[in-house]
Amino acid sequence: MSVHQVQQCLEKASIKYVDSAKADIMGALREFKDLSPDTEHFMFPDGKRRHAFKLRGTIPVFYKMSTCYNIPISVYLWDTHPYYAPICYVNPTATMVIKESENVNKQGRIFLPYLNEWRFPGYDLNGLLQFCTKIMHKCLNIQDKKAELTRSLENCDDESNVNDIDSAIDAATPLHRQLLTNYAQDLACDDVIYSLGQALKERRISIQEYLRYVRDISRKQFVFRATMQKCRKAAGLPI
């Protein structure tokens, strides 16, 4: 990343301590090469909206000590940087869910001891990002939305995952028990389709993924409902 690009963004954001800020930013970019400088019209916590210098991109985070996720983040700098702690956000992708915790709120803002204790000199962007890569796997509960939806789809087709209806309702015959089991699976399909709709609304999955998953679950639901109709007919119940 060229010093010229950083300089342009610093000037656009009206950073006061340009030399100190530039040195800090370049040090971070040398270590985290998937980040790049940018500016954004940003609403700061003081309630004022103005152009802010921003680092955006991904940092590597090992989740559960096995899988490395490239976590998208945005780091916004005050115009007094590096003398005031940056404002950091996690930007979940369409297939990622980040659950709220004491370190990340529902808007994705990051709260870490490193930020609370920020002092310059002594604290810098490189140190902050290094801290994030080491601690965020403990702070963030990251789930792959595709895997989560796949498990839900599989559960709809797995009778072993249906609650033991016999323990709650004593079906009169095996035919009635089959009817109840398929009814429970039909309701489970409704739940999954609702969750898919919510995921699409929140932009955690794409429209293509939504349609594909809905097609899959609808096929299963058709079988469950057709089986219920046959059971009701065989049992002499209204269809």
Side-chain angles (χ1 to χ4, degrees), residues 78 80-86 118 120:
W78 292 82
T80 53
H81 188 81
Y83 296 97
Y84 205 83
W118 183 278
F120 183 84

Side-chain angles (χ1 to χ4, degrees), residues 179-196:
L179 176 61
L180 288 170
T181 298
N182 279 273
Y183 178 63
Q185 290 174 319
D186 178 41
L187 293 179
C189 289
D190 286 338
D191 289 341
V192 173
I193 291 173
Y194 173 79
S195 296
L196 287 167

